[in-house]
Amino acid sequence: MVSAALLSLVAVGCLIAMEALHRAKWPSRGPYTAVITWQTLGLAWGVSTIGALLAFGLSSYQLGAAGGSLALATDLVTGRLILTELSQGVEGVSHVVAVVLALVLTLVLFYGLVSSFVQVVRVRRRHHDLLELVASEHPDVPGARVVDHPAAAAYCLPGVLRSQVVISAGALAVLDNRELAAVLAHEHAHLRQRHDLVLLPFSSLKRAFPRVRLVRTYYESVALLIEMCADDQASRRSSSRELAMALLRFGAAGPAPVPAGAMAAVSEAEPGVMRRVNRLLRPDEELPYHAGAVIMGGSAFLLAAVTCLWHIPV
């Protein structure tokens, strides 16, 4: 029961830490560090919550969450588990319920991840095929495909075999050459660092818990940080001011809807464009190296602690 109690504390602590991270000011100073911290907290919450339920439900084995799970698999084959647990009265029933809840949560999280991945791949494949019909090369936009559409749009479609940056004729009409170069650098940063895969676990959580507003809020926080990461990469290849002006021009023109599975410089669903613009025009001091090292070390320690707690045999 000790491991169940400790894993429960870790799960609650992760939720508190997520809310604190969401409200904190430092993530915009170190977006890469903040994104890794979000990933760590999300993973630790899921593993510790499932582990707490298993450690409680399988406490009669006195093997912890990991060892108890292996023993559970053996007893499921013989059918002894349900009869043994139910024979212990209310406490036994609560153990069975805890194990069932752990299994359900695992399946929900796995379903959200797999279904999100499958849907994104399917939509991207369809959009790639569509672009072959409606998009064309443009001499002024190397490395991108141009769509003849009046709305201002710029986005990328990541992929394993084929990745594309797409920009509309409406965007070409409102951007000058330097602003266009900044936007293209932003989109290529998404492709180069595979930000779609970084965002996938959070989009799968949003899909698994579609009615939980907190999950959607945290997803938006991570998505904004990923855009800041791409902004930083683009600023190293072009001027921060040019990228900021491009974002403002997209906003003034009214950002166009972005296809599912794509990552856009500005989308109509993104609420943090002005935060990105202010950050580019008036950048804060970067997160100190030692602070980032402490945060990363704490993240590694958290994952190691959760792993150890799964193996505590009491």
Side-chain angles (χ1 to χ4, degrees), residues 149-163:
H149 195 284
Y155 58 89
C156 65
L157 282 172
V160 177
L161 298 179
R162 50 177 180 173
S163 299

Side-chain angles (χ1 to χ4, degrees), residues 94-257:
S94 66
H95 289 173
V96 174
V97 170
V99 173
V100 171
L101 288 176
L103 179 61
V104 169
L105 179 57
T106 302
L107 292 177
V108 167
L109 294 176
F110 183 74
Y111 165 78
L113 182 63
V114 173
S115 61
S116 295
F117 179 78
V118 171
Q119 182 191 33
V120 166
V121 170
R122 184 181 301 152
V123 171
R124 284 177 184 166
R125 183 182 298 117
R126 188 183 309 125
H127 198 72
H128 275 299
D129 294 339
L130 180 62
L131 288 175
E132 294 296 328
L133 300 176
V134 301
S136 60
E137 304 289 341
H138 195 286
D140 296 333
V141 194
R145 306 272 290 179
V146 177
V147 177
D148 188 13
H149 195 284
Y155 58 89
C156 65
L157 282 172
V160 177
L161 298 179
R162 50 177 180 173
S163 299
Q164 290 184 331
V165 174
V166 182
I167 192 163
S168 69
L172 295 179
V174 299
L175 301 175
D176 63 27
N177 290 335
R178 290 177 296 181
E179 293 165 355
L180 176 61
V183 170
L184 293 177
H186 175 96
E187 298 304 330
H188 282 294
H190 279 317
L191 295 177
R192 186 169 56 254
Q193 299 186 350
R194 292 311 305 261
H195 287 159
D196 58 310
L197 298 181
V198 177
L199 192 58
L200 181 62
F202 301 96
S203 60
S204 67
L205 278 175
K206 189 176 68 168
R207 185 177 182 86
F209 304 102
R211 298 186 179 181
V212 180
R213 184 176 181 181
L214 200 61
V215 173
R216 184 169 62 252
T217 299
Y218 291 165
Y219 167 83
E220 292 173 353
S221 294
V222 177
L224 177 58
L225 288 171
I226 289 176
E227 292 300 327
M228 289 180 179
C229 291
D231 288 343
D232 290 345
Q233 288 294 313
S235 297
R236 295 175 183 176
R237 296 173 177 266
S238 59
S239 169
S240 298
R241 180 178 177 81
E242 301 301 335
L243 179 58
M245 291 303 299
L247 296 179
L248 289 174
R249 293 187 190 279
F250 275 120

Side-chain angles (χ1 to χ4, degrees), residues 36-47:
I36 294 175
T37 305
W38 272 111
Q39 289 179 316
T40 301
L41 290 174
L43 178 60
W45 172 82
V47 174

